Amino acid sequence: MNYFTDFFNSLALIRVTDIIDIAIISFVVYKLFSLLRNTRAEQVLYGLIIVLIFASVADILNLNTVSWVMNQFLTVALVFIIVVFQPELRSALERIGRGRSIFTGERALKNEKSIDELSRAMTSLSRQKIGALVVLEREVGLNDIVESGTTLDADVSSELLINIFIPNTPLHDGAVIINNEKIIAAACYLPLSNSNLISKELGTRHRAAVGISERSDAIVIVVSEETGNISIVESGRIDRYFDEDSFKQRLKKDLVFVREETVDDEKKEDDDE
């Protein structure tokens, strides 16, 4: 009976600010696990939690020597984690910074003509089993990636895209970056993903596609040189085995975007006329 009395008395002492405090910490921990999921840092985070629990138990039991060793270890471990897992931490902070924009998908390709050109090129390369890697830039800028390649600034056309990826041509090795209806650059180098969830049967192109999709909101198209399969990579996820129709539908769904303000402006212009 005393146990239940003490329990309810403790509940009566809980303030609204305490609930908010716990909710914020819970949300931060949840987001931290979400951001670091499927990365090398995930296992280190689990290990760090175990060490923290062990250090708390040592404090409760007044194990002074063990507690001192644990505290020193945690101090060194924090510096170690920042240095060793800098790429994962940077990626997580970038994802926090960009968030989820309601205007995602408005930059790379806005009209169906460009999507048709891209679809024809990827389908042709797929039939010929010619490898290809195309990055459709969206809200997150990729200037550092563009600078690693050769600037083109050309209109999107199936003929140009096919010629770029023909083997043994100067620009075939690397990725093409498309932004705002233009082929911005070719032969660009992409960061490789460290994810251990990528199938072993997939090669460097797919790992590079996953890598850039983890660090930006870009949509990446991959044509396999071995099988000719067309894949679309977004936010670290690989969707495979697209044919021309399903590929085109997916791009139209993700990329053809019109701002509500633009629609309203067009309506106003029509009314004025």
Side-chain angles (χ1 to χ4, degrees):
M1 184 64 68
N2 291 333
Y3 172 79
F4 288 105
T5 302
D6 293 340
F7 176 74
F8 286 115
N9 288 337
S10 299
L11 289 180
L13 296 174
I14 297 177
R15 300 169 299 175
V16 175
T17 53
D18 295 328
I19 297 174
I20 296 174
D21 194 22
I22 294 172
I24 291 174
I25 295 299
S26 300
F27 177 76
V28 169
V29 172
Y30 168 75
K31 292 300 293 183
L32 182 62
F33 274 100
S34 299
L35 291 169
L36 297 180
R37 188 173 58 233
N38 301 330
T39 66
R40 295 181 303 160
E42 181 182 20
Q43 300 303 320
V44 175
L45 184 61
Y46 287 135
L48 189 60
I49 291 174
I50 293 173
V51 172
L52 286 172
I53 294 173
F54 188 71
S56 299
V57 172
D59 286 335
I60 294 172
L61 298 178
N62 293 321
L63 302 176
N64 295 328
T65 303
V66 175
S67 180
W68 181 84
V69 171
M70 289 294 99
N71 290 332
Q72 299 304 312
F73 172 79
L74 289 173
T75 302
V76 175
L78 289 176
V79 177
F80 173 80
I81 290 171
I82 293 174
V83 173
V84 175
F85 295 102
Q86 183 266 341
E88 286 83 359
L89 294 174
R90 184 182 66 180
S91 176
L93 291 174
E94 286 175 350
R95 290 168 64 185
I96 293 173
R98 69 173 182 262
R100 281 284 185 181
S101 172
I102 60 174
F103 297 123
T104 295
E106 63 176 337
R107 296 185 66 187
L109 298 172
K110 298 179 185 178
N111 64 63
E112 296 187 10
K113 180 179 180 298
S114 297
I115 290 179
D116 289 340
E117 293 289 330
L118 179 59
S119 179
R120 279 197 294 271
M122 296 300 102
T123 304
S124 175
L125 292 170
S126 174
R127 285 195 300 266
Q128 301 176 68
K129 292 187 177 181
I130 296 175
L133 185 57
V134 178
V135 180
L136 306 179
E137 182 180 350
R138 297 201 284 182
E139 290 298 313
V140 177
L142 300 175
N143 288 341
D144 54 333
I145 302 298
V146 170
E147 291 173 358
S148 69
T150 300
T151 303
L152 296 181
D153 196 25
D155 293 334
V156 176
S157 71
S158 58
E159 293 82 3
L160 178 55
L161 286 169
I162 292 171
N163 285 331
I164 287 174
F165 290 110
I166 293 296
N168 300 321
T169 56
L171 301 178
H172 86 284
D173 190 17
V176 162
I177 311 296
I178 294 179
N179 179 30
N180 198 22
E181 308 295 338
K182 294 285 188 179
I183 300 175
I184 303 300
C188 297
Y189 295 99
L190 303 183
L192 299 181
S193 172
N194 293 317
S195 174
N196 55 10
L197 298 180
I198 300 175
S199 173
K200 300 298 182 183
E201 68 183 48
L202 300 178
T204 305
R205 281 192 182 88
H206 290 83
R207 189 166 288 277
V210 173
I212 193 63
S213 73
E214 290 173 340
R215 302 189 183 189
S216 73
D217 60 349
I219 291 178
V220 191
I221 302 159
V222 186
V223 178
S224 172
E225 187 175 357
E226 289 75 21
T227 64
N229 290 329
I230 300 175
S231 302
I232 294 179
V233 184
E234 184 177 7
S235 300
R237 176 181 173 180
I238 303 176
D239 294 324
R240 304 169 66 188
Y241 308 115
F242 285 90
D243 58 22
E244 184 171 4
D245 291 335
S246 60
F247 176 76
K248 192 180 298 185
Q249 290 174 5
R250 169 69 180 271
L251 291 189
K252 287 179 180 179
K253 174 178 175 293
D254 289 347
L255 295 175
V256 176
F257 180 88
V258 180
R259 285 182 183 268
E260 292 182 1
E261 302 91 69
T262 304
V263 174
D264 293 338
D265 292 342
E266 290 176 354
K267 288 182 179 178
K268 289 179 181 180
E269 291 177 1
D270 292 338
D271 293 338
D272 293 338
E273 292 177 357

